[in-house]
Structures are given as structure tokens and as C-alpha cells.
Amino acid sequence: MNIKSGIELLSYCEEKKVPIYHAAIDYEKQNSGMSEKEILDKMMISWNVMKVSIAKGLDKKQNIKGKMIGGEAKKLKEYYDSHVSVCGLTMSKAISYALSVIEVNASMGRIVACPTAGSSGVLPAVLLSTKETFNLLDKDIIHGLLTSSMVGIIIGKNASLSGAQGGCQAEVGSASAMAAAAVVEMLGGSCEQALHAASMCLKNIMGLVCDPVAGLVEVPCAKRNTIGTANAMISAEMALAGIVSIIPFDEVVYAMDRVGRMMPVCLRETAEGGVAATPTGQRLKEEIMPKA
Amino acid sequence: MEQFGVFDIIGPIMIGPSSSHTAGAVKIGYIAMRIHGKSIKKVQFYLHGSFAKTYVGHGTDRALLSGVMGFLPDDERIKDAYSIGDSIGLEYEFIEADLGEVHPNTVKIQLTSKEGKITEVMGASIGGGKIKILKINDIDVAFDGEYTTLIVKHYDRPGVIAGITAVLAEHTINIAFMKLFRQAKGEFARLIVEMDDSITRQVLKEIKAVKYIKEVAYIEKMAL
Ligand code: SF4
């Protein structure tokens, strides 16, 4: 079994009458020789690390700081705890979770790269907020993580998951596609609906460049993770409502790969274009890494 | 088409901020420490290219130091590497250097033990937390720590390799890759054996007992 595309994944799930997470278990059993229980246990460890990384940045007592960011998650929490949220409490909480994980990453804390360290806020944020809203169990989240991994595997095989290769669309875009598919499946949507959600995510931020100030995963990365989180949630909502992506998943992934290849090197993690190249971006770089 | 497993996508679990500048650096430091095999009194890091220019901002310095102290890429103590190093009396130094035509994220680590034994290990962090060890002392080598690895230093004599593989076969350890590196005929050579399984102390002891073997380093497969 070697699933290489969305079409292959759909036909596998159809044939075996299984959800995507089940296909992921079958795939990994063959890939690594691990048993189903080992796979689920290992995923549980990752989920625990994710939960801790969310809690840390929201904790009043903690003071986690990178070079340029820190304290944003806490600020947002204080705001939605005492005000009516502009985007609704579910969304507002979710983006505070994403901010927290990225702050933990920037302050040399422990995170789960998913698919990368730079985009590690999206999946935990979306999954935890969905868990809270729908009272899901950890077991459901483990399944969601497996669903999302299958989407990531297909994107990785046909396009890219790294900002240096494909821009931020490949990191935060992929993370949101993965998260959206997971939500759809956790809430009872079909495999097809899950892939529609993933397609919508990739389309929504296609072409997004990678331009980290001073080469550090902080600016604009923290806020990119919040748009990735929102992107996943709105796409999942649309797919669950029966809205479809007009362009099929595999074609969207192909398009994203083409766009990534067309992107100039200065917009692919080299910190030479985009917001990294602005006067403020340059000044910050000079302050943080005077020799670079 | 590149191959991925489920845990390449959801994972690794690591200390941020960067898989190449932090996690990969820990790995290189850790492997250097295992190859040296003696308690370390002093360590010098020669940083090349991007490593030299950005190491403080990315925490590469703390990552390398952590690896040398035996921490793995997901260890939360990495952040406090300096104070931990100071508390155990480790001398360390970071030096910017031109290491030649190598990957921009390359470091040469020189380890000195209390008894004065010196080991030099050069490695590169090639992206996504993946690394390559390029040199041990003066011998060019090539391995990546993705497998459980044995690094054997031995006199270049007939029968040494057969002796090692015989021990592994007897304990039904499957060899994934095996590479031999040497400088000149009859001198010291390094054998790198990458295996699918872990090995026990007993197996290690038997390998160390093979004739003409000088040193054996054993490195368990790392998650990253
Ligand atoms: S801007 Fe670049 S480094 Fe930052 S999250 Fe996006 S892809 Fe990652």
C-alpha cells in the first residue's frame, strides 16, 4: 500500500469502507512495521506535548519570550476573557492557542513539528478548540492527527512542506489543510468532504511567501499561524455544510507545487524579501544578529 | 517521489525554534560526544557559514553544547545549556571558522577529555533536522544518525570486519548499511555499521573483544 494522491486515498477508503485515519494506520503499519497500538500510543505522546505547549503561553505566570515575540497569547486570552470577542469565542480561543505554541517554540520550548516547527501552532490550536466545543475525547483527536498526517503525506509527496522550497503556503498552508481535514472527519464528514476542506485551505492562501525577519520563526510566523488556524476552521465549516472545492484536491496540490517553484528565492525563507526586507525587518535583524 | 511516514508529518517532538539550527545541531553535538566516548573537559566549536553568522539568534550555541552534554533534541534543558555547562565545570568556546567547501550549516567540534584525549568531529545540519557527519579526526566519513549506528576504530588488518559481522549475525542483528573509511593501508580505519535493531551491552562487549579493534562507539537511533 503506497498512497500517493488524493484520488488513491479516496479509492482506498471507499474500497475498504474506512475513514482516512484508518488508511493512515494501515499506511504507517506497512511503512514502519509498528503495530496499531504502537502508532496510537506514539500519537498520544505527541498530542500530550501539543497540549502542554498550548497551556504554557496562556499561563499567567509564565514568561516565555523569543527575540521579537512573546506574551501575545496571554494578551489575547485576557481580552476575550473580559470582552465580547470580535470573531466569536471558539475562533478567538483557537488563535490564542496557535500563538502560544509559536511562542513556546521561539523561546526554546518543546513542540511537535506539524508539519514544521514554523507551522506547529495550527494543528494543536484547531484540534484543541474543536475538542472543547464538541466535547470530543483524546481518542478522537488521535484519529484526527492521523487523518491530518495522511493529507500532509500526500502534499509532501507531490509538492512541498517546507518554506525554503515552497514558501509559507507549503508550511502554514499545508498545516491548515491537514487540520481542516481532521476536523471534518472528527465531526463525521466523509473522506471526500475532508479533502474538499483541505483543497479550500490550500487555495485560500496559495502563493503565500516565506519571509521570516532575521530568519527566525517569529515575525510574521506567529500571526501566519493564526490565519492558518482560521483558514482551517472556515474551510472545515464550509465542507461540513456540503460546500465543495471546484478544483479537486490533487490539482490544487499540483498548482501549489507550481506556484512554489515559480517563487523567487528571496521569498523562500532566505529572509531577503517580503516583510524581512522592510526597514524595520532589517533593523531587527541587525539588532539580533549583527554579524549576519 | 520523496517518502514520508505518519511521524515525519506529525513530528518530531523537538525543542524550538528551528529544526536545522537547533534540533540538527543538538544531534551533531550528541554524536560527537558518543564518538569521543570519554568524559569531556573542554569543547571547542568551530562554526562555519550560516552557523557562524546566526548561531546566537537561533540558539545553535546552546543546542551544540546540549548535545555534547548528552541531551537529545527534545530535552527541555537545552535552553539552560550554558548554566548547566558551567555548573559541571565544562569549558566551552565558540569560534567562527572557514571550514572550506562545505554545507553552510557546518560545525567542527573538538572535544578534549581529562586525560588529554582529543577527538574532532565535523558535521552539517542539512535541513529539517537531518544531519550528516562528515569527518572523524582526519578521516572522511558519511552517515546520518537515522539508524542505530556503530562506529568502530580499528587497525586496518584482514579479518576485522568479518569478526564484527560474525558477532552481529550470531545475535541476529540485521545490518542496514556498512561503510569502511580509511586513510592509508595498514593504518587506523573507521567502520560505520548502521543497523535496524538496537544492540545490548553484551553484543557491544563481544565486538570490543574482536582483535585489532581500538574503540567502539554506539549511538541509538534518534527520533529526529
Ligand atoms: S513565514 Fe516562513 S518560516 Fe514563517 S511560518 Fe511561514 S514558512 Fe515558516
Side-chain angles (χ1 to χ4, degrees), chain B residues 60-71:
Chain B
T60 310
D61 48 353
R62 286 184 266 180
L64 287 166
L65 196 55
S66 293
V68 164
M69 294 191 291
F71 304 170

Side-chain angles (χ1 to χ4, degrees), chain A residues 118 163 167-168 171-172 209-212 220-221 224:
Chain A
C168 201
E171 286 199 12
V172 166
V209 302
C210 171
D211 50 354
C221 314
R224 291 271 164 82

Side-chain angles (χ1 to χ4, degrees), chain A residues 27-28 56 110-111 113 291, chain B residues 4 6 11 14 16 74 76 96:
Chain A
Y27 177 96
E28 188 58 17
K56 265 196 176 164
R110 190 192 278 143
I111 54 99
K291 285 171 292 185
Chain B
F4 294 89
V6 160
M14 56 171 269
D74 66 346
E76 287 194 292
E96 288 166 42

Side-chain angles (χ1 to χ4, degrees), chain B residues 98-156:
Chain B
D98 183 352
L99 299 175
E101 291 294 307
V102 289
H103 187 281
N105 292 338
T106 299
V107 58
K108 187 175 82 179
I109 305 177
Q110 193 184 82
L111 303 156
T112 310
S113 69
K114 296 198 173 68
E115 307 81 36
K117 176 187 170 180
I118 294 179
T119 307
E120 272 186 12
V121 175
M122 187 159 98
S125 182
I126 58 172
K130 296 209 185 314
I131 61 134
K132 266 207 170 85
I133 300 297
L134 307 162
K135 240 180 190 196
I136 300 175
N137 295 334
D138 283 335
I139 302 184
D140 291 325
V141 296
F143 67 97
D144 56 17
E146 301 273 315
Y147 290 84
T148 292
T149 308
L150 267 183
I151 303 163
V152 183
K153 183 180 182 184
H154 59 272
Y155 294 101
D156 182 27

Side-chain angles (χ1 to χ4, degrees), chain B residues 161-175 195 197-200 202-207 210:
Chain B
I161 295 169
I164 296 166
T165 52
V167 174
L168 292 174
E170 197 185 308
H171 293 275
T172 56
I173 309 273
N174 196 34
I175 297 174
M195 300 161 294
D197 318 275
S198 310
I199 58 176
T200 59
Q202 177 57 29
V203 178
L204 209 55
K205 229 171 102 189
E206 287 177 33
I207 291 173
V210 173

Side-chain angles (χ1 to χ4, degrees), chain A residues 27-28 31 43 56 67 105 107-111 113-115 123 149 153 156-158 161 178 215-216 289 291, chain B residues 1-7 9-17 54 57-59 62 74 76 78-79 96:
Chain A
Y27 177 96
E28 188 58 17
N31 172 63
M43 207 47 108
K56 265 196 176 164
K67 305 277 174 199
N105 180 62
S107 67
M108 298 193 86
R110 190 192 278 143
I111 54 99
C114 55
L123 201 52
S149 74
I153 285 169
K157 283 182 177 179
N158 295 284
L161 298 166
M178 289 159 54
L216 291 167
M289 295 183 203
K291 285 171 292 185
Chain B
M1 196 177 266
E2 216 181 313
Q3 285 307 316
F4 294 89
V6 160
F7 296 102
I9 306 292
I10 311 298
I13 298 171
M14 56 171 269
I15 299 299
T54 66
H58 278 118
R62 286 184 266 180
D74 66 346
E76 287 194 292
I78 290 172
K79 208 177 175 168
E96 288 166 42

